[in-house]
Amino acid sequence: EQLKQQIGIKPVEQFTQSSKPMEVCETCGSLLIVNDAKSRIDDHINGKQHIGYTKLKGSLENLLELRKQRRKDREKEREVASEERRKRRDEEERGSESR
């Protein structure tokens, strides 16, 4: 206890009890006061952290979509290659049957 006081560690209760209701920003995870002044909300939305997370989420969505599209393209290529192998095999079997 004495060491906690010396280095400034506060009890958990002080952090969990808030006099104002708060909510988490869906974009960046910051805690915002519910029904706060519009100017403070605007400041938050135009802040570096919020803008950075917005860009990050946008980039992540683009990358996931690109990855999904590439996966579909690879599957189509595999299907085409498999179909070509099947056709060659069928032709070879017909050729060996006619001999």
Side-chain angles (χ1 to χ4, degrees):
E1 258 334 286
Q2 188 178 17
L3 179 60
K4 287 181 183 180
Q5 289 176 354
Q6 285 177 351
I7 59 175
I9 295 178
K10 298 179 181 176
V12 177
E13 299 85 37
Q14 290 182 353
F15 293 112
T16 57
Q17 295 176 350
S18 177
S19 60
K20 298 179 183 178
M22 301 186 95
E23 63 185 4
V24 175
C25 174
E26 293 294 323
T27 302
C28 66
S30 293
L31 287 174
L32 304 171
I33 298 171
V34 176
N35 299 325
D36 203 1
K38 183 166 175 27
S39 63
R40 286 179 57 96
I41 294 171
D42 290 341
D43 287 345
H44 168 75
I45 290 172
N46 294 321
K48 291 178 185 178
Q49 179 176 332
H50 188 86
I51 290 172
Y53 273 96
T54 301
K55 288 179 182 178
L56 186 65
K57 284 186 176 189
S59 296
L60 179 61
E61 289 172 3
N62 290 340
L63 285 173
L64 291 175
E65 185 61 36
L66 180 63
R67 184 172 140 193
K68 187 174 166 182
Q69 186 61 42
R70 286 183 179 170
R71 187 173 285 155
K72 285 181 183 179
D73 293 345
R74 273 185 281 162
E75 287 176 12
K76 286 180 183 178
E77 289 173 5
R78 287 180 186 147
E79 289 174 8
V80 168
S82 176
E83 184 65 24
E84 289 175 359
R85 283 194 304 270
R86 188 187 60 77
K87 285 181 182 179
R88 269 189 263 130
R89 198 174 335 122
D90 290 347
E91 289 174 4
E92 289 174 1
E93 287 178 0
R94 282 188 216 133
S96 64
E97 289 175 4
S98 62
R99 290 186 192 168

